[in-house]
């Protein structure tokens, strides 16, 4: 059905950029990567990570061995937290500069990898700070090489040119997108993700779903962004319940990771709109809020408001979950309730009010959505006009569940 929503006279850009090593055992490709780095004269690396997962996942033992066998020195900035700040990026970059790092490795989910991408720009451009980047005072054309070792199946950042960092004093959480921060090498090994908690597993998987819904329905969506999105959502619908039942299901973990890759490729091509633009103020205000949960809480309302403009596409995306959809505009509220019911069935029952937000916060969230650098650009490519009234309605209707 989605083909009916496609303008065949619109010229689109199809991006398939990074080299991603994918599958069980992919972490062992770090030896090949280390050899290639050494051949290129890269013998010092800044490693950017959180405090624990890079070791507890088993990734670091393999990486450290490869570094030692190829005489590559490293310094580890291991202080990245969820929703990383500009200050953390500057601290990591300072540590890398003092060490003389010629490349940056990010190990973790979206937060460490995005921080690593940002630090890679600063290392290659003298006098630049993270705030310069995320307040768009500086537009980079170069970065040192980036190696992404992904530890979650949701971010997609290992496949694309995006990064997100929070500016804490303003609660701004802007996104950047530059060709120079495509990773030179990426590793997606599901074995590194077998220890994800049930809650993390759900949230990161729904992040991939949101990437897909948005990338398939922007004004710049392409056949590639839509077909990748469709497969992503079908895989999550099939395998997330399986992994909820058995966290050690290797096949389910493999295909959830593949779904995440497809989601990352999808939004590298189709970009994003409402759900991410509205979630960033939520976790900008409450940094401890999981990004995936924030997205999940507002997705049903976003579906309701964009469905009339992209009914056939959304019906196609959710065919496995809501097979009765016909792809007609009058189904908008029904589709929203069904998406919310599906989210509840996989373990996401919270709404904004459960996370401490109230009607008194709505105007602040709306203002942040339009004031935060880059977010207005996302809203501008939504399939319906992104007025303040629409944004306010989405936030308001996300305070409480449709299905009571």
């Amino acid at each position: 059905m989605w083909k009916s929503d496609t303008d065949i006279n619109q010229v689109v850009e199809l991006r398939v950029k990074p080299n991603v090593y994918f599958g069980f055992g992919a972490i062992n490709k770090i030896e090949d990567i280390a050899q290639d780095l050494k051949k290129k004269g890269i013998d010092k690396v800044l490693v950017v990570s959180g405090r624990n997962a890079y070791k507890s996942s088993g990734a670091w033992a393999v990486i450290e061995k490869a570094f030692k066998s190829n005489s590559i020195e490293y310094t580890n900035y291991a202080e990245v937290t969820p929703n990383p700040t500009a200050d953390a990026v500057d601290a990591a970059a300072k540590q890398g500069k003092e060490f003389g790092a010629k490349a940056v490795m990010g190990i973790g989910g979206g937060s460490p990898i995005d921080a690593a991408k940002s630090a890679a720009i600063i290392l290659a451009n003298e006098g630049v700070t993270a705030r310069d980047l995320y307040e768009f005072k500086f537009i980079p054309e170069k970065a040192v090489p980036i190696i992404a070792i992904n530890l979650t199946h949701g971010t997609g950042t290992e496949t694309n040119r995006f990064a997100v960092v929070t500016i804490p004093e303003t609660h701004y959480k802007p996104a950047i997108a530059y060709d120079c921060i495509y990773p030179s090498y990426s590793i997606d090994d599901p074995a590194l993700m077998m220890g994800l908690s049930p809650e993390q597993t759900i949230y990161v998987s729904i992040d991939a779903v949101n990437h897909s819904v948005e990338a398939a329905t922007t004004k710049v969506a392409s056949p590639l962004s839509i077909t990748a999105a469709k497969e992503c959502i079908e895989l999550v619908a099939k395998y997330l319940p399986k992994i909820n039942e058995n966290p050690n299901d290797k096949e389910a973990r493999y295909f959830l990771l593949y779904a995440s890759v497809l989601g990352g490729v999808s939004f590298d091509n189709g970009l994003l709109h409402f759900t991410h633009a509205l979630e960033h103020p939520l976790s900008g205000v409450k940094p401890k809020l999981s990004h995936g949960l924030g997205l999940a809480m507002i997705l049903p309302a976003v579906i309701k408001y964009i469905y009339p403009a992209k009914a056939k596409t959304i019906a196609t995306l959710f065919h496995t979950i809501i097979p009765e959809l016909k792809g007609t505009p009058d189904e908008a509220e029904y589709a929203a309730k069904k998406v919310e019911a599906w989210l509840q069935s996989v373990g996401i029952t919270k709404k904004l009010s459960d996370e401490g937000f109230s009607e008194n916060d709505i105007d602040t969230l709306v203002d942040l959505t339009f004031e935060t650098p880059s977010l207005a650009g996302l809203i501008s490519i939504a399939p319906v006009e992104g007025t303040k009234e629409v944004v306010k309605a989405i936030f308001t209707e996300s305070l409480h569940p449709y299905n009571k």
Side-chain angles (χ1 to χ4, degrees):
M1 282 194 288
W2 66 269
K3 299 177 185 68
S4 301
D5 283 339
T6 302
D7 179 1
I8 63 172
N9 294 308
Q10 180 182 4
V11 177
V12 297
E13 184 178 19
L14 304 182
R15 286 175 171 261
V16 186
K17 286 274 188 176
N19 179 24
V20 180
Y21 293 111
F22 181 91
F24 279 94
I27 188 61
N28 295 309
K29 285 290 185 179
I30 192 64
E31 175 65 28
D32 295 344
I33 293 170
Q35 290 177 13
D36 195 39
L37 291 174
K38 197 61 185 289
K39 287 178 183 176
K40 293 175 178 176
I42 297 172
D43 57 1
K44 288 190 174 185
V45 175
L46 166 65
V47 177
V48 178
S49 70
R51 295 178 182 176
N52 299 309
Y54 76 109
K55 286 186 176 179
S56 62
S57 64
W60 183 243
V62 182
I63 294 165
E64 189 175 36
K65 181 180 177 182
F67 279 172
K68 287 181 178 178
S69 67
N70 289 279
S71 301
I72 294 175
E73 298 179 58
Y74 64 86
T75 183
N76 182 198
Y77 180 84
E79 301 297 325
V80 178
T81 59
N83 299 307
T85 66
D87 300 300
V89 170
D90 285 338
K94 181 175 183 290
Q95 184 172 322
K97 282 184 179 179
E98 291 174 350
F99 181 68
K102 301 174 185 175
V104 180
M105 173 182 285
I107 312 177
S111 295
I113 296 175
D114 285 2
K117 288 179 172 182
S118 307
I121 293 173
I122 295 172
L123 286 176
N125 295 276
E126 192 64 37
V128 173
T129 69
R131 283 172 177 78
D132 292 334
L133 279 179
Y134 285 91
E135 292 173 353
F136 294 88
K137 297 174 181 176
F138 175 77
I139 306 300
E141 295 183 358
K142 61 182 179 178
V144 300
I146 299 160
I147 307 102
I149 313 296
N150 183 29
L151 300 183
T152 71
H153 44 72
T155 173
T157 191
E158 80 280 10
T159 71
N160 60 47
R161 62 200 148 116
F162 289 84
V164 176
V165 164
T166 298
I167 303 172
E169 66 272 17
T170 57
H171 301 303
Y172 289 170
K173 187 180 172 184
I176 60 173
Y178 299 114
D179 283 7
C180 65
I181 53 172
Y182 276 112
S184 300
Y185 319 85
S186 292
I187 287 178
D188 268 324
D189 187 335
L192 305 178
M193 302 166 200
M194 296 298 290
L196 285 174
S197 72
E199 192 175 68
Q200 286 176 304
T201 293
I202 295 168
Y203 293 162
V204 298
S205 298
I206 299 306
D207 190 6
V209 168
N210 276 277
H211 291 154
S212 299
V213 172
E214 293 169 82
T217 56
T218 64
K219 292 177 181 177
V220 296
S222 70
L224 178 56
S225 73
I226 295 169
T227 53
K230 178 177 181 291
E231 181 70 6
C232 170
I233 293 172
E234 288 181 358
L235 288 170
V236 173
K238 179 176 180 178
Y239 288 103
L240 184 53
K242 290 179 180 290
I243 209 76
N244 282 344
E245 291 178 7
N246 177 15
N248 296 316
D249 186 329
K250 294 178 70 175
E251 180 183 76
R253 198 69 73 178
Y254 177 96
F255 282 109
L256 286 173
L257 179 54
Y258 183 56
S260 174
V261 169
L262 292 174
V265 170
S266 182
F267 90 80
D268 198 32
N269 282 271
L271 307 181
L272 302 171
H273 56 75
F274 281 129
T275 322
H276 274 75
L278 273 64
E279 191 286 325
H280 285 195
L282 296 176
S283 51
V285 170
K286 294 182 182 289
K288 292 184 179 180
L289 175 67
S290 168
H291 175 59
L293 175 59
L295 295 169
M297 293 189 294
I298 57 179
L299 177 60
V302 171
I303 293 289
K304 175 182 172 180
Y305 281 89
I306 69 171
Y307 196 92
K310 290 290 183 180
K312 289 182 172 60
T313 299
I314 298 172
T316 300
L317 296 179
F318 286 96
H319 175 73
T320 302
I321 298 167
I322 322 170
E324 66 272 23
L325 289 177
K326 297 180 178 64
T328 55
D330 60 296
E331 298 173 315
E333 188 168 343
Y334 179 81
K337 289 182 177 180
K338 282 292 189 177
V339 168
E340 183 181 84
W342 174 70
L343 290 168
Q344 291 168 339
S345 76
V346 297
I348 299 180
T349 58
K350 292 182 177 180
K351 300 298 284 187
L352 295 184
S353 60
D354 298 307
E355 289 296 308
F357 292 99
S358 71
E359 290 188 11
N360 294 331
D361 299 310
I362 299 299
D363 287 341
T364 297
L365 293 172
V366 172
D367 289 343
L368 279 172
T369 302
F370 287 92
E371 292 171 1
T372 300
S374 79
L375 299 189
L378 299 184
I379 292 172
S380 72
I381 58 172
V384 298
E385 186 179 359
T387 63
K388 285 195 172 184
E389 290 72 23
V390 168
V391 170
K392 184 172 183 177
I394 292 171
F395 277 130
T396 302
E397 293 183 30
S398 300
L399 284 170
H400 306 286
Y402 288 133
N403 300 296
K404 297 179 181 177

